[in-house]
Amino acid sequence: MMQDTIGVLALQGAFREHIKSLQRIGIATRKVRLPADLIGLGGLIIPGGESTAIGKLARLYGLLAPLQRLAHSGFPMWGTCAGLILLADRVTHRASDQPLIGGLDIFVSRNYFGRQVNSFETELSVPALAPFSANGEAAFHAVFIRAPAVMSVASGVEVLARLDSAPSGKGVIVAVRQKALLATAFHPELTDDTRFHRYFANLVAAAEQRVDAEIVAAAA
Amino acid sequence: MTATGTFTVKSGLAEMLKGGVIMDVTNAEQAKIAEEAGAVAVMALERVPADIRAQGGVARMSAPEKIVEIMETVTIPVMAKARIGHFVEAQILEALGVDYVDESEVLTPADEAYHINKWDFEIPFVCGARNLGEALRRIGEGAAMIRTKGEAGTGNVVEAVRHARAVLGEIRRLQNMPPEEWMSYAKEIGAPYALVKMVAEAGRLPVVNFAAGGIATPADAAMMMQLGLDGVFVGSGIFKSGNPAVRAKAIVQAVTHYDEPKILAEVSKNLGEAMVGINIDEIPPEQLLAQRGW
């Protein structure tokens, strides 16, 4: 079987870094700016950036409807930071008129950690990445930039990582998976660590879905 | 284990702004228009550069209450300008919690010999540059983002193009140099050797590089993107034009679809009056803002 191509939504934000990470693990990639760019893809990454700007541009160029349809039909998508916000069903502190894609049955607090002065790097434990580590390690160095966090998840949503140092003490959720939808509040694409990209590539391979022209046309 | 204010975190925010438009605003109402148009951040300042140029006088950091009002109005990052070398204005901006400080030649310099030591701060800085040497001096001082200086408040893109071509051209030249030439080149352009080496090896600046200074139309913005810059600052070009909301939205679309002339043609229609432009050779040399910076 021919290997899947993973698209990266390239309306705004850190899409170049995701493309580089995918290339580093030998995955074919494509920038997605218009609906036709979706056709044939096996998965899509929604990068970090400004969720308001990305959402508005997606709506303006007819991408929002096909993305909403794909997110609800088992198509693999991974959102980092702004992408996590866009994939969430419910978001607090949402700017007026901010479009969302939805699909992940989670409740997200936008800019949970505060402004830039509160942005940070830290070590997380992500057991789901252990199979992708040479030594079976779960530790992952994570970069959080004006980051959101997941306040609650519905049943059927797997929590992949919590941040223990969060003020709540119990640990706030920062990475989740629901079927083929993956979301991280932090930015694996800003580091050299490609384990999350390999984890997502596995979800894409397992889903065996391809965007066909009909889905794109029907949603438009 | 958990660290704030690291260079990764500082330059990381600039990475998230790439492919976006950062708009100059002087009050909350303008900030709202910018956010609704799809700006990735706003830059708070007391007067837009065109007014600073027209009215003269000393241009300073914006009043804190204005900045706070803007921060409370929008959810996107808020940047604010401090005078070159004015480290106390920068301390105040950090205390207010702004997301980025622009140590800017658009304001009247507070120090004619030295820039702010930006390593002293937890919040990141963006600085203007006309060439590679200037860009690397600013990065050496701790800047986590670079922009061309252009010539702010003119609505004339020619200087931004000159500065973008200078920086990108010098990077290309450096890439073709054998390592034994790097030290002399570092001396020639007045840049730290370690950063010259880094640029020679990577073929790019170690931080995000935006266009600024004179961008007034969607075509100007797309041209800067096609030249190879990462995003665009628009100062006077939006709120000194006939229809700010429409023009702001058009420039946002032009930066995303910068290599699609058909889309650019579409978004360039019916924008109303552009800001009145100024020819650079009609400006007395001592009034050129880009020459501020050392």
Side-chain angles (χ1 to χ4, degrees), chain A residues 194-209:
Chain A
T194 56
R195 282 176 293 163
F196 260 106
H197 289 85
R198 281 183 278 151
Y199 179 87
F200 181 62
N202 271 21
L203 289 182
V204 171
E208 292 187 6
Q209 280 214 28

Side-chain angles (χ1 to χ4, degrees), chain A:
Chain A
M1 196 182 107
M2 209 185 79
Q3 196 203 34
D4 289 295
T5 298
I6 296 180
V8 181
L9 193 64
L11 297 170
Q12 189 275 315
F15 50 87
R16 208 162 53 201
E17 285 63 32
H18 274 296
I19 290 170
K20 264 190 228 155
S21 297
L22 290 172
Q23 285 169 343
R24 212 176 302 144
I25 59 169
I27 303 266
T29 72
R30 186 196 302 160
K31 288 180 197 160
V32 174
R33 291 201 171 107
L34 296 170
D37 299 331
L38 290 168
I39 296 167
L41 293 179
L44 181 74
I45 296 177
I46 303 173
E50 276 308 309
S51 59
T52 52
I54 295 172
K56 281 166 197 282
L57 285 160
R59 184 170 58 195
L60 208 51
Y61 285 88
L63 270 167
L64 194 62
L67 291 181
Q68 285 168 337
R69 208 180 155 110
L70 288 167
H72 290 91
S73 68
F75 179 72
M77 292 169 86
W78 171 21
T80 54
C81 195
L84 174 143
I85 295 169
L86 286 161
L87 285 179
D89 281 340
R90 292 174 303 284
V91 176
T92 59
H93 304 111
R94 185 170 160 189
S96 59
D97 186 37
Q98 181 183 351
L100 295 180
I101 296 166
L104 273 176
D105 199 352
I106 58 175
F107 181 47
V108 168
S109 172
R110 222 184 138 205
N111 301 347
Y112 171 83
F113 296 100
R115 304 194 71 95
Q116 174 61 14
V117 71
N118 310 112
S119 292
F120 59 97
E121 316 179 44
T122 192
E123 302 297 325
L124 293 177
S125 173
V126 190
L129 292 184
F132 301 91
S133 312
N135 47 8
E137 256 202 57
F140 187 85
H141 186 78
V143 182
F144 290 80
I145 295 170
R146 283 174 48 101
V150 180
M151 302 288 88
S152 64
V153 301
S155 61
V157 178
E158 182 189 356
V159 173
L160 300 179
R162 287 176 191 272
L163 188 66
D164 296 326
S165 52
S168 68
K170 190 177 148 218
V172 68
I173 300 165
V174 291
V176 297
R177 183 185 67 88
Q178 183 177 8
K179 294 182 180 144
L181 296 180
L182 173 66
T184 53
F186 45 92
H187 296 280
E189 77 281 9
L190 290 186
T191 66
D192 290 332
D193 193 331
T194 56
R195 282 176 293 163
F196 260 106
H197 289 85
R198 281 183 278 151
Y199 179 87
F200 181 62
N202 271 21
L203 289 182
V204 171
E208 292 187 6
Q209 280 214 28
R210 291 280 167 87
V211 180
D212 60 36
E214 253 171 72
I215 293 184
V216 174

Side-chain angles (χ1 to χ4, degrees), chain B residues 2-135:
Chain B
T2 295
T4 57
T6 62
F7 199 74
T8 299
V9 160
K10 289 175 171 176
S11 60
L13 177 56
E15 301 285 347
M16 298 309 138
L17 302 175
K18 279 185 311 196
V21 183
I22 300 166
M23 302 182 190
D24 275 5
V25 297
T26 57
N27 57 45
E29 187 195 345
Q30 291 182 351
K32 196 76 205 156
I33 292 171
E35 182 175 58
E36 278 167 10
V40 291
V42 290
M43 173 74 71
L45 72 177
E46 62 162 1
R47 292 176 281 170
V48 294
D51 289 336
I52 293 172
R53 198 175 276 289
Q55 297 161 0
V58 174
R60 311 178 180 94
M61 173 186 84
S62 188
E65 69 274 15
K66 283 275 177 200
I67 297 170
V68 170
E69 187 188 294
I70 290 167
M71 286 166 55
E72 285 169 353
T73 303
V74 295
T75 61
I76 55 179
V78 175
M79 303 183 164
K81 286 188 195 283
R83 284 179 267 178
I84 289 175
H86 207 315
F87 50 86
V88 175
E89 281 189 350
Q91 289 166 6
I92 291 170
L93 293 174
E94 180 167 67
L96 292 175
V98 304
D99 297 296
Y100 240 93
V101 175
D102 183 2
E103 187 186 17
S104 177
E105 70 283 0
V106 169
L107 306 186
T108 310
D111 190 324
E112 296 196 331
Y114 305 108
H115 284 251
I116 297 169
N117 176 17
K118 294 164 272 288
W119 296 113
D120 275 351
F121 293 80
E122 290 261 308
I123 48 169
F125 282 71
V126 54
C127 288
R130 288 164 296 179
N131 51 51
L132 183 60
E134 198 170 14

Side-chain angles (χ1 to χ4, degrees), chain B residues 137-213:
Chain B
R137 286 196 294 281
R138 298 295 86 81
I139 297 167
E141 293 158 358
M145 179 179 186
I146 291 294
R147 56 171 175 76
T148 62
K149 285 183 171 172
E151 189 57 31
T154 61
N156 187 342
V157 78
V158 67
E159 294 300 303
V161 170
R162 190 191 317 281
H163 301 158
R165 284 202 182 275
V167 171
L168 298 168
E170 284 159 342
I171 291 172
R172 283 190 291 268
R173 260 181 63 202
L174 179 53
Q175 271 186 287
N176 288 324
M177 283 180 200
E180 65 270 24
E181 295 181 10
W182 295 347
M183 183 60 88
S184 288
Y185 189 65
K187 183 181 161 197
E188 184 191 321
I189 65 171
Y193 175 78
L195 291 176
V196 167
K197 179 171 184 281
M198 201 183 273
V199 172
E201 286 166 353
R204 50 165 304 216
L205 288 181
V207 301
V208 166
N209 184 17
F210 266 49

Side-chain angles (χ1 to χ4, degrees), chain B residues 277-294:
Chain B
I278 304 172
N279 289 314
I280 304 301
D281 53 14
E282 291 165 10
I283 303 172
E286 70 278 9
Q287 289 179 22
L288 290 173
L289 304 177
Q291 60 178 353
R292 297 167 167 178
W294 355 103

